[in-house]
DNA sequence: CTGTTAGCGCGTTCAA
DNA sequence: TTGAACGCGCTAACAG
């Protein structure tokens, strides 16, 4: 039988209230009493029953998600998952609010971050641009006692407690390995299309990709990365222009969004055979895979990311450590053959 | 504010005890009273607070895992994950017992299944051979009121409530897509090595693989599948023999275990270039990937599978539906470039 | 058949 | 600085 506060109280020779004060690090207890209680906790191996505590406190976890607005399918999918989590709020004791900001706008993110009231918010998960001002705003919020987790794209220099997303360096390496093998010995150029180098996920993917090509497939030369701000029309124009200009392009790695534009720019399979790898399963990329326009799509499960963010933020609010393996977001690789 | 049993009692004009009886479908309540209470539940949108209920009941969930003994690395990894879950038992209110049985021995599984006491066991997760006797034993257990989930390999005809594992047909298709692309237009033969056709996961992988080769890569011809009972020495002998006999083999798909034997049988990369795809990241396969002996490894996260089995079995014991997307086990694809 | 009451493990008044 | 007592939402005796 697991020990309870009663057992601790008896063991330490004090009352329940005193045990509670010590356990919750509240003031008004003599140093010696604190030691006695802590010794009893150690001795009996006490672990607090979080659900009983939450019941007594009628606790809810007020959480805020910050993500970019706009037509980006992936971000809208992410938002849908957050809304699904809001549906479960009564059961999970969460109170989730969504704040959307213009994409690629660090100042807007900073504005939201600074407007948050630590008294009303327990944790924040955000999709951030990796810029110094956002990093600083995150640190300010953490200093004010709010736990912050990054979502999808990390903020490596900041005080965020956790990154809920894939290892984007490994994702880029994977793309490199796939494209290298799909080209299978042919020499030529590979066009790399990115959204914005202000995003650390795009940065990481680009460098992982370049590293693998350099070390394993030296016959493939990178063109780009071209920046498109994840805008479909820009992607279409950029890809069309590049394919016209460079006839030696035999593969494309699209590491950002705007996938619809990429599809529109792709020439007939018969005319010109290109190995194509893109990111995120959306309506568009799914169809492109099925039609054989794309060879592979690298995906991150945004449902998992959202649930993970909630678990991590809640655990942290309770001062617990989450199961780390459970929070590792996998790099999914989809071919037309294993599309879910 | 979420409604409580008190609110229901007031709304229905009855006492707490009666509400409790109705909510838990216990006998001794007049039909009319039941209806009144249920109407109040509907009207107020009541949902029971499971953690409060568990607190009051001091509930624990006694669970049994059945899996094959023996040297199979994957199964040992699975067992390690179950033991990790046992460590969390006090927090998760579980009481987990592991039963091991000789591999490929349906009778042994049936023996364990039939020996289980419904009064002492709440749910069972098992790695099963897909044979009629096991299926029947599962059905008998379900009839006696115990929830059963299959783990890793499914039992499609049975009354199991859930399958905790990957879509093995899709996994086989993925392997087919990868091998087809890695061979890249070359014609030749592909050796398929399996453990046992008594396992539905092996069956499914083999057929998914064959389907993709037939429809998308007609220049590749399948040799096998050869059955090895997942024994490394048998695998080594079978692969060596096949490679000697058939000089046109340009690829190998190993869809079962015994990966060490496969590695030992593989000729020098320089001598004979083979595209190799295997299953499950283990110490051996990891090294083979790193050295370039394997091109890809398809993996299932057994930690996720174990946690999922526990969640599903617990949820079912409480009469709840789990978040289905969370319980979908992903098909992981590892290249040397994205090895974790 | 139905209602009253005392906990489950913990947090939080209010007195002492 | 400490302790007693009540309540969180629910279940389980025990009466009636």
């Amino acid at each position: 039988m697991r020990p309870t506060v009663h057992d601790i109280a008896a063991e330490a020779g004090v009352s329940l209230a005193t045990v509670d004060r010590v356990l919750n690090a509240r003031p008004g207890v003599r140093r010696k009493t604190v030691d006695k209680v802590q010794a009893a906790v150690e001795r009996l191996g006490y672990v607090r029953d979080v659900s009983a505590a939450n019941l007594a406190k009628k606790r809810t976890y007020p959480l805020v998600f910050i993500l970019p607005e706009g037509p980006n399918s992936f971000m809208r999918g992410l938002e849908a998952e957050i809304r699904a989590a809001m549906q479960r709020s009564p059961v999970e004791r969460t109170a989730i609010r969504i704040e959307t900001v213009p994409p690629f706008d660090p100042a807007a993110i900073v504005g939201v971050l600074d407007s948050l009231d630590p008294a009303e918010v327990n944790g924040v998960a955000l999709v951030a641009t990796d810029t110094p001002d956002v990093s600083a705003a995150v640190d300010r919020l953490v200093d004010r006692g709010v736990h912050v987790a990054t979502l999808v794209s990390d903020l490596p220099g900041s005080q965020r407690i956790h990154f809920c997303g894939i290892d984007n360096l490994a994702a880029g390496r994977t793309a490199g390995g796939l494209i290298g093998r799909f080209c299978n010995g042919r020499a030529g150029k590979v066009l790399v299309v990115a959204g914005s180098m202000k995003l650390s996920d795009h940065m990481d993917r680009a460098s992982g990709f370049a590293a693998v090509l350099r070390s394993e497939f030296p016959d493939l030369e990178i063109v780009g990365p071209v920046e498109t701000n994840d805008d479909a029309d820009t992607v279409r124009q950029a890809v069309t222009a590049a394919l016209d200009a460079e006839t030696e392009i035999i593969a494309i790695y699209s590491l950002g969004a705007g996938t619809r534009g990429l599809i529109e720019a792709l020439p007939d399979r018969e005319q010109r055979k290109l190995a194509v790898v893109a990111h995120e399963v959306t309506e568009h990329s799914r169809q492109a895979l099925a039609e054989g326009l794309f060879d592979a799509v690298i995906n991150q499960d945004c449902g998992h990311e959202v649930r993970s963010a909630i678990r991590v933020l809640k655990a942290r609010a309770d001062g617990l450590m989450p199961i780390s393996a459970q929070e590792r977001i996998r790099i999914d690789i989809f071919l037309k053959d294993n599309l879910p």
Side-chain angles (χ1 to χ4, degrees), chain A:
Chain A
M1 209 62 196
R2 233 167 109 180
T4 74
V5 278
H6 290 89
D7 302 320
I8 304 293
E11 178 81 11
V14 297
S15 80
L16 286 178
T18 303
V19 172
D20 184 67
R21 289 186 191 101
V22 175
L23 289 178
N24 294 294
R26 268 186 295 252
V29 186
R30 259 203 320 230
R31 184 58 204 273
K32 291 205 52 162
T33 319
V34 172
D35 291 342
K36 272 199 302 186
V37 172
Q38 279 171 345
V41 166
E42 288 293 320
R43 208 154 346 117
L44 300 184
Y46 170 83
V47 268
R48 158 217 254 107
D49 183 330
V50 180
S51 42
N54 284 346
L55 174 61
K57 277 195 293 203
K58 297 154 79 41
R59 193 196 212 306
T60 60
Y61 302 81
L63 264 28
V64 173
F65 279 79
I66 307 175
L67 70 166
E69 60 201 27
N72 184 325
S73 303
F74 174 74
M75 290 302 167
R76 297 291 66 79
L78 195 69
E79 185 173 344
E81 289 293 345
I82 301 171
R83 295 197 184 283
M86 293 167 81
Q87 298 282 317
R88 297 191 301 270
S89 273
V91 176
E92 299 181 353
R93 303 186 117 88
T94 54
I96 298 173
R97 206 176 77 212
I98 298 178
E99 295 280 354
T100 57
V101 292
F104 309 108
D105 185 347
I109 300 176
V110 171
V112 173
L113 252 17
D114 282 337
S115 75
L116 261 26
D117 180 358
E120 291 176 339
V121 176
N122 227 290
V124 173
L126 83 161
V127 181
T129 55
D130 186 9
T131 48
D133 48 351
V134 173
S135 221
V138 164
D139 288 353
R140 277 197 298 279
L141 196 56
V142 171
D143 287 341
R144 292 194 289 147
V146 178
H147 299 299
V148 177
T150 46
L151 200 58
V152 180
S153 191
D154 198 11
L155 224 43
S158 70
Q159 303 288 323
R160 94 281 185 283
I161 54 166
H162 189 79
F163 167 51
C164 311
I166 59 173
D167 178 342
N168 284 295
L169 209 76
R173 298 181 63 85
T174 306
L178 287 174
I179 282 196
R181 282 177 179 74
F182 291 166
C183 289
N184 209 4
R186 279 199 297 159
K189 295 186 178 177
V190 183
L191 175 63
V192 175
V193 185
S196 164
M197 289 303 156
K198 269 195 284 193
L199 302 172
S200 72
D201 53 345
H202 289 198
M203 278 290 296
D204 287 348
R205 289 171 192 171
S207 29
F209 185 79
V212 167
L213 252 52
R214 201 179 320 118
S215 67
E216 286 188 65
F217 306 99
D219 291 342
L220 297 176
E221 183 193 333
I222 289 180
V223 178
V226 291
E227 267 182 84
T228 63
N229 269 355
D230 283 345
D231 176 66
D233 291 333
T234 314
V235 171
R236 176 167 41 69
Q237 290 157 16
V239 172
T240 306
L243 287 178
D244 286 348
E246 308 259 14
T247 52
E248 292 165 10
I249 290 178
I250 60 172
I252 301 178
Y253 175 37
S254 169
L255 59 80
T259 302
R260 180 176 56 74
L262 171 61
I263 295 171
E264 289 166 3
L266 245 33
D268 241 345
R269 242 352 209 194
E270 311 303 317
Q271 263 180 258
R272 187 167 175 182
K273 174 109 178 62
L274 291 169
V276 180
V277 173
H279 273 263
E280 314 314 345
V281 173
T282 61
E283 201 185 330
H284 296 118
S285 67
R286 174 187 292 275
Q287 200 183 342
L289 256 188
E291 290 174 358
L293 240 50
F294 287 3
D295 293 277
V297 170
I298 297 176
N299 186 67
Q300 53 190 316
D301 185 326
C302 50
H304 190 182
E305 287 174 340
V306 169
R307 291 188 292 271
S308 178
I310 294 173
R311 274 196 300 266
V312 168
L313 256 15
K314 283 178 65 173
R316 197 54 180 243
D318 293 329
L320 299 174
M321 285 298 291
I323 307 171
S324 63
Q326 181 169 349
E327 310 310 344
R328 210 201 81 223
I329 312 293
R330 274 169 288 272
I331 298 172
D332 291 339
I333 304 175
F334 291 109
L335 310 178
K336 70 184 290 190
D337 313 298
N338 67 331
L339 218 40

